């Protein structure tokens, strides 16, 4: 996510981060279901309305980097060099995201998500939204309609690659294995003008 440049933007970003950190601390300490929005607001020393101006729901507090994740995926497509192929650019970004989510300290958060039905449901809807956004970016980059099946399929595969690799014994090797299949599918399905 870009670093806020103005004083007001920096202050908003700091407040948002303070709320997210307080929420995560409470959720990991007491359990997600045992913590209410008012608890998080009190811990962060903000009003409930301030909390909701930064986060749309309790679930969003756990996935506070959601917008950054989506932006990074889109940027992998739209920000790549003119000569850089699509699939390797996506693979590179998924590698980086998997490294982030499998780093030391991420296991307790992952466990909390897996053990909480509301968080699993929220994560699934988030993945579907990311896939649609990524598909639209791919289609726009290639000058195609947003609903192009090949673009939507590759986007879903890329998002699923992130999820599957994150759960693998060797996440980085899993990303490479999955993306070999994605690249083969893209080359088989996409007309030559798209590859």
């Amino acid at each position: 996510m870009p670093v806020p440049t103005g004083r007001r933007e920096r202050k908003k970003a700091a407040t948002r981060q303070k709320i997210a950190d307080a929420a995560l601390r409470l959720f990991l300490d007491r359990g997600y279901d045992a913590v209410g929005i008012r608890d998080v607001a009190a811990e962060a020393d903000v009003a409930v309305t301030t909390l909701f101006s930064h986060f749309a729901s309790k679930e969003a507090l756990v996935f506070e980097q959601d917008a950054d994740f989506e932006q990074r995926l889109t940027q992998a497509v739209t920000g790549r060099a003119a000569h850089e192929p699509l699939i390797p650019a996506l693979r590179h970004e998924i590698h980086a995201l998997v490294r982030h989510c499998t780093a030391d300290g991420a296991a307790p958060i992952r466990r909390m998500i897996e053990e909480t039905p509301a968080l699993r449901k929220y994560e699934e809807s988030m993945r579907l939204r990311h896939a649609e956004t990524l598909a639209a970016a791919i289609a726009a980059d290639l000058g195609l309609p947003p609903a192009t099946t090949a673009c939507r399929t590759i986007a879903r595969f890329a998002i699923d690659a992130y999820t599957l690799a994150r759960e693998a014994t060797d996440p980085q090797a899993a990303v490479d294995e999955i993306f070999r299949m994605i690249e083969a599918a893209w080359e088989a399905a996409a007309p030559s003008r798209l590859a």
Side-chain angles (χ1 to χ4, degrees), residues 6-7 13 27 45 51-52 69 73 81-82 84 87 89 96 103 106 114 117 128 143 155 162 170 178 180 186-187 190:
R7 182 176 182 271
F27 294 156
D45 195 26
L51 185 149
F52 279 122
F69 183 90
L73 287 169
E84 186 179 6
I87 303 303
E114 292 301 321
L128 293 172
Y162 164 77
D170 183 347
I178 294 165
R180 281 192 294 276
W186 181 247
E187 288 174 4

Side-chain angles (χ1 to χ4, degrees), residues 103-119:
D104 291 341
I109 299 165
R110 188 78 242 145
R111 196 169 30 258
M112 177 181 64
I113 293 167
E114 292 301 321
E115 293 171 355
T116 310
L119 293 176

Side-chain angles (χ1 to χ4, degrees), residues 162-175:
Y162 164 77
T163 303
L164 292 169
R166 189 182 63 206
E167 298 167 357
T169 305
D170 183 347
Q172 298 303 317
V175 170

Side-chain angles (χ1 to χ4, degrees), residues 117-186:
L119 293 176
R120 286 195 317 268
K121 183 178 178 183
Y122 185 89
E123 184 179 39
E124 178 59 28
S125 69
M126 193 174 66
R127 279 197 309 257
L128 293 172
R129 183 173 36 79
H130 290 322
E132 289 303 313
T133 301
L134 180 57
I138 293 168
D141 186 67
L142 299 171
L144 297 170
T148 301
T149 301
C151 297
R152 292 181 75 218
T153 302
I154 291 304
R156 286 272 179 99
F157 286 170
I159 298 298
D160 286 347
Y162 164 77
T163 303
L164 292 169
R166 189 182 63 206
E167 298 167 357
T169 305
D170 183 347
Q172 298 303 317
V175 170
D176 289 334
E177 179 183 355
I178 294 165
F179 267 88
R180 281 192 294 276
M181 291 182 271
I182 291 173
E183 192 154 28
W186 181 247

Side-chain angles (χ1 to χ4, degrees), residues 42-81:
E43 180 76 10
D45 195 26
V46 299
V48 171
T49 54
T50 300
L51 185 149
F52 279 122
S53 73
H54 290 279
F55 296 94
S57 68
K58 182 179 172 184
E59 294 83 3
L61 289 162
V62 175
F63 299 99
E64 61 95 12
Q65 294 184 357
D66 174 31
D68 183 45
F69 183 90
E70 190 169 289
Q71 182 181 21
R72 286 178 63 175
L73 287 169
T74 302
Q75 185 63 30
V77 174
T78 60
R80 72 187 199 283

